[in-house]
């Protein structure tokens, strides 16, 4: 069971991981599929050094892991639960936009699917 202290540490590491827009872009790319630094740099129009520094931070936060493949290193989200949680967080954050109706027809969250003027 997590203690309050360890929960605070988890929240701090998650916040640090997502606080930087470049790290968030890299993380979003890795949520879709594992990646390699050179390819991430090319796809995101960043330098390899910049990508490597941010990957090191994400690893230090415990969000991603590195797997050596010959002379290359593949990065991926450390655990499928992290992927599911981050995708859910993004979905929930998007669902809060009151000008957009709920995208989930089976949504059971009280107050979510009510018309805006009913709130």
């Amino acid at each position: 069971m997590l203690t309050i202290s360890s929960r605070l540490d988890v929240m701090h590491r998650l916040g640090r991981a997502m606080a930087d827009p470049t790290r968030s872009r890299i993380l979003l790319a890795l949520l879709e599929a594992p990646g390699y630094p050179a390819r991430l740099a090319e796809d995101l129009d960043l330098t390899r050094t910049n990508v490597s520094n941010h990957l090191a931070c994400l690893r230090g936060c415990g969000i991603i892991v590195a797997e050596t493949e010959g002379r290359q290193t593949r990065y991926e989200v450390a655990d499928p639960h992290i992927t599911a949680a981050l995708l859910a967080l993004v979905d929930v954050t998007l669902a809060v936009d009151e000008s957009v109706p709920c995208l989930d027809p089976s949504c059971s969250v009280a107050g979510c699917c009510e018309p805006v003027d009913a709130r």
Side-chain angles (χ1 to χ4, degrees):
M1 182 170 180
L2 288 174
T3 63
I4 289 177
S5 178
S6 59
R7 287 177 185 261
L8 288 173
D9 179 56
V10 168
M11 294 295 289
H12 174 75
R13 287 185 290 132
L14 182 59
R16 178 173 164 75
M18 295 188 314
D20 183 271
T22 300
R23 275 195 297 278
S24 291
R25 290 175 59 211
I26 292 169
L27 187 53
L28 285 172
L30 294 176
L31 287 173
E32 292 180 17
Y36 300 86
R39 185 57 183 242
L40 288 166
E42 182 180 315
D43 291 348
L44 300 173
D45 196 28
L46 301 166
T47 66
R48 283 184 175 190
T49 302
N50 192 335
V51 169
S52 292
N53 289 336
H54 287 295
L55 289 170
C57 178
L58 291 168
R59 278 182 71 191
C61 291
I63 306 288
I64 65 169
V65 293
E67 183 72 32
T68 303
E69 294 180 342
R71 295 175 58 197
Q72 292 187 320
T73 303
R74 184 186 78 236
Y75 290 85
E76 60 188 329
V77 178
D79 184 276
H81 294 95
I82 295 173
T83 300
L86 290 173
L87 290 173
L89 179 62
V90 170
D91 289 346
V92 166
T93 303
L94 291 175
V96 173
D97 185 348
E98 293 183 4
S99 65
V100 177
C102 183
L103 300 176
D104 183 2
S106 63
C107 178
S108 62
V109 175
C112 176
C113 299
E114 295 173 10
V116 174
D117 34 304
R119 290 186 195 165

